[in-house]
Amino acid sequence: MNAFHGITLHPDTAAFLARKQRMLIGGEWVEAASGETLPVMDPASGETFCRVPAGDSPDIDRAVAAARRAFESGDWPRARPVDRERLLLKLADLLEAHAQEFAELEAIDNGKPVMMARHVDVALSVDFIRYMAGWATKLDGSTMELSVPLVRDKEFFGFTRREPVGVVGAIIPWNFPLLMAVWKVAPALAAGCTMILKPAEDTPLTALRLGELAQEAGYPAGVLNVVTGLGHTAGAALASHTGIEKIAFTGSTEVGKLVGKAAMENMTRVSLELGGKSPVIVLDDVDPAVAAAGAAQAIFFNQGQVCTAGSRLYVHKSRFDAVVEHLAGIAAGMKMGPGIDPGTQIGPLVSKVQQRRVMEYVQSGYAEGARAAAGGAAGDGPGCFVKPTVLVDVREDMRVVREEIFGPVVVAQPFEDLDEIARRANDTPYGLAASIWSNDLSRVHRLIPKIKAGTVWVNCHNIIENVMPFGGFKQSGIGREAGRSALELYTEPKSVIMAL
C-alpha cells in the first residue's frame, strides 16, 4: 500500500501497513491466543485496510505475567534513574525521526488531518516524553526530625522514599491514540514501572508502532507490552486483573465508572481522565470575529472528538448574534476530506458508530426545537463525516446541552451577567475545562474561582502544557496527568522509621 486516497505515503508508513500486525508481549510479537483478528477501518471510506490481533483474557494474562517478571527481575529493576532517563530520551528521538510515519498512521487510522497529527499529536508526544525523561532522575523523598514521645530512651531517624507502584495497565481512547499512550507510558516508565498498554480497538496502529520503537530504544522484554483487543473483553480483563497494581484509563465517563468499579474490587490504584461538556464564555468586550475564531478552534479541533471540546458556547447578549454569524461562516467554509489529504481541515469521525451517535444528538436537538445556524447534517459519501455544526435556539434542559456529543457540534446561547453565567457554566455533571474570552482581567479573575473545572483557559482553548496538571472535577475524572502530578499516579510513598 503505497498510496491512500491518492496521496503517496511515506515509505516507512507503507512498509508498516504491509506487515502482518501482531501484539507485543514479553518482548515477542505474537498473535492472539485465539488466533482471531479485528478489522481496522479507514473512516474516510468505511473500508477495512488491515487487521490486528483480537486479544482477550488469556493474552492479558500473558502480558501481565511478562510485565511482572520484568518488574521483579532482570535488567529493569536494576536500572538506575539515569538509565530510565536515557531510554526515554532515545524513545523520543526515535519518535521524532519517524514523525511523518506516525502522523500518517494517525490520519489513516483515526481520520484526523495529517498536518494536525504531525504538528500537534506527534510533536506534543515527543516533547512530553522528553519532559518526563527528566523526572526519572528527580524523584525524591524527605528526611524528618521525629519526636516519638512515647519512647524517650531512644533516638529515631525518619525518611520517605517514592517507589514505582508496580505493574500498570493502561487503557487509552481513540481520539488521540499516540498522545494518550505517551501520557501513560512516559511517566510510568520514568518511575520504574512496567506496563500493559491496551489501545482502542478503532485506533491500534500507533500503539503497536510505539512498541516497536521501544524495542529499538533498548527497553528490556516485558517492560512495555501492547495488547490489542475489544474494550469489553481485553480492556475489561485488564481493569479487573489481580496481577496489576495500577490502572490508568482515559475515555468516556460511562466506561470510566466501570473501570473504577473493577479496580476497586482488587483495591487497584486507579486514575481516570473522563468526559466533559466544556463552556466557552465570551464577555461583552471581545471582538466578535476574535471570539468566533476561538470558539471554532475550541469545538472543531480534531472534529470535536476532544474531551475538553468547547461544546457549550455562552456569549453576552450584546455580542451573541455577531459571534454566531462569524462562527457559522467559519463552519461553512471548512474543507472536509480524508485526514491523509494535507488540505483537509475537518476529517471524518473515527467510525460509523460515532457518526451515528453524533447525528442522533443533532436530530434530538431538532426535535426539541433547536435550529442549525451552520451544518447540521452528515457529510456526503461513504465516509464517517459530520459537517461542522452550530446549533442555536437551545435550552439548558436539551440533551445537546446536557450530554457529551463528542463531535463537531456546538450549542450557542446568550447570557447577561457574571453570576448567571457562572451558574449556567457549572450546571453540568462534568468539570474538565472551560475558557473565558475577555480583555477585562478584573472580571476574568472574579469569574475563574467560580468555574468548577480542572483547567480554565483565558483567551485560548485546548492549550496543553507539559508542566501543568491536567484532569477534571466531578464526573470528569480522578487524578491529574502531566506535570509533577503525573509521577504521583505511578509511584507510592513509603515512610521509613529507624531506631538508632
Side-chain angles (χ1 to χ4, degrees):
M1 183 185 297
N2 296 318
F4 221 82
H5 295 283
I7 305 297
T8 300
L9 299 177
H10 189 282
D12 290 344
T13 311
F16 177 80
L17 293 175
R19 296 199 288 272
K20 183 176 181 179
Q21 300 302 322
R22 293 182 171 86
M23 303 183 295
L24 178 60
I25 298 179
E28 302 292 331
W29 291 96
V30 299
E31 297 180 359
S34 66
E36 298 295 319
T37 61
L38 297 172
V40 180
M41 185 196 75
D42 166 23
S45 67
E47 297 178 358
T48 295
F49 65 93
C50 76
R51 303 186 73 87
V52 297
D56 206 338
S57 295
D59 306 291
I60 294 295
D61 288 341
R62 284 193 292 167
V64 171
R68 175 63 57 196
R69 287 193 300 272
F71 182 72
E72 294 180 349
S73 61
D75 294 334
W76 187 244
R78 294 196 297 268
R80 296 188 177 186
V82 70
D83 299 327
R84 299 198 300 272
E85 178 184 47
R86 289 170 179 168
L87 281 171
L88 280 171
L89 291 174
K90 177 64 173 176
L91 180 61
D93 290 345
L94 288 169
L95 179 56
E96 188 172 51
H98 291 271
Q100 184 61 26
E101 176 190 355
F102 273 84
E104 290 179 358
L105 289 175
E106 292 288 68
I108 292 168
D109 200 8
N110 171 272
K112 66 179 62 197
V114 66
M115 297 303 291
M116 188 200 87
R118 175 69 184 266
H119 297 293
V120 177
D121 298 58
V122 181
L124 288 179
S125 296
V126 172
D127 286 348
F128 187 78
I129 295 173
R130 287 177 176 151
Y131 171 78
M132 280 298 162
W135 276 110
T137 57
K138 298 168 184 66
L139 296 174
D140 55 17
S142 302
T143 59
M144 300 169 183
E145 293 290 333
L146 304 184
S147 296
V148 195
L150 295 180
V151 184
R152 294 282 183 173
D153 59 341
K154 287 188 177 182
E155 293 184 46
F156 294 88
F157 176 66
F159 63 94
T160 62
R161 46 183 286 124
R162 191 161 281 279
E163 300 179 352
V165 69
V167 177
V168 176
I171 302 173
I172 59 173
W174 45 255
N175 59 335
F176 290 92
L178 174 64
L179 185 59
M180 293 299 98
V182 164
W183 272 26
K184 307 290 189 288
V185 170
L189 299 190
C193 300
T194 58
M195 174 171 280
I196 303 94
L197 177 64
K198 210 297 284 184
E201 55 262 33
D202 291 309
T203 55
L205 297 184
T206 49
L208 293 173
R209 187 69 179 102
L210 185 67
E212 293 182 353
L213 294 191
Q215 286 189 306
E216 187 176 345
Y219 278 94
V223 171
L224 178 61
N225 307 272
V226 184
V227 178
T228 54
L230 297 173
H232 67 271
T233 54
L238 184 56
S240 62
H241 206 286
T242 58
I244 64 174
E245 280 80 25
K246 165 70 194 290
I247 189 76
F249 174 83
T250 296
S252 70
T253 296
E254 178 184 12
V255 177
K257 291 178 179 179
L258 297 175
V259 170
K261 289 177 182 177
M264 187 55 62
E265 286 295 318
N266 302 318
M267 294 302 291
T268 302
R269 303 296 185 264
V270 63
S271 57
L272 305 170
E273 197 269 281
L274 307 177
K277 191 71 175 176
S278 300
V280 175
I281 302 167
V282 179
L283 303 190
D284 58 5
D285 64 311
V286 182
D287 182 328
V290 172
Q297 191 276 335
I299 185 59
F300 300 139
F301 171 63
N302 205 48
Q303 294 71 250
Q305 297 171 136
V306 185
C307 55
T308 57
S311 53
R312 292 185 295 150
L313 174 61
Y314 295 101
V315 184
H316 190 271
K317 64 178 184 178
S318 66
R319 296 283 195 273
F320 182 77
D321 290 342
V323 170
V324 168
E325 181 180 358
H326 280 289
L327 180 58
I330 293 171
M334 299 186 78
K335 180 184 176 182
M336 298 179 66
I340 196 66
D341 184 341
T344 290
Q345 294 174 297
I346 286 281
L349 301 189
V350 72
S351 66
K352 284 292 182 183
V353 170
Q354 188 63 15
Q355 182 194 40
R356 285 194 297 271
R357 170 187 166 86
V358 171
M359 288 310 305
E360 286 172 1
Y361 272 111
V362 173
Q363 293 300 324
S364 77
Y366 291 156
E368 294 179 312
R371 174 175 59 85
D380 301 326
C384 308
F385 295 92
V386 171
K387 294 179 180 180
T389 298
V390 181
L391 295 180
V392 294
D393 298 340
V394 298
R395 302 183 312 275
E396 298 289 352
D397 62 340
M398 290 181 175
R399 288 183 63 210
V400 289
V401 178
R402 303 295 304 171
E403 300 177 21
E404 185 178 36
I405 299 174
F406 223 65
V409 180
V410 61
V411 294
Q413 303 174 74
F415 73 92
E416 294 192 31
D417 60 57
L418 290 188
D419 288 336
E420 172 200 352
I421 191 52
R423 177 187 58 77
R424 292 170 67 184
N426 293 331
D427 185 20
T428 172
Y430 301 108
L432 189 57
S435 64
I436 303 168
W437 296 76
S438 174
N439 298 308
D440 185 340
L441 293 184
S442 176
R443 290 193 295 170
V444 168
H445 277 290
R446 291 202 304 271
L447 188 53
I448 287 172
K450 297 178 181 180
I451 302 299
K452 304 304 180 184
T455 297
V456 177
W457 291 292
V458 178
N459 296 329
C460 58
H461 199 102
N462 285 331
I463 301 299
I464 301 299
E465 165 56 47
N466 291 333
V467 304
M468 300 289 284
F470 180 85
F473 291 14
K474 299 188 281 188
Q475 294 193 33
S476 286
I478 298 172
R480 294 294 186 270
E481 298 189 276
R484 186 188 184 110
S485 300
L487 277 300
E488 297 173 2
L489 301 179
Y490 299 98
T491 55
E492 291 273 28
K494 178 181 286 183
S495 296
V496 180
I497 300 175
M498 184 180 299
L500 301 181

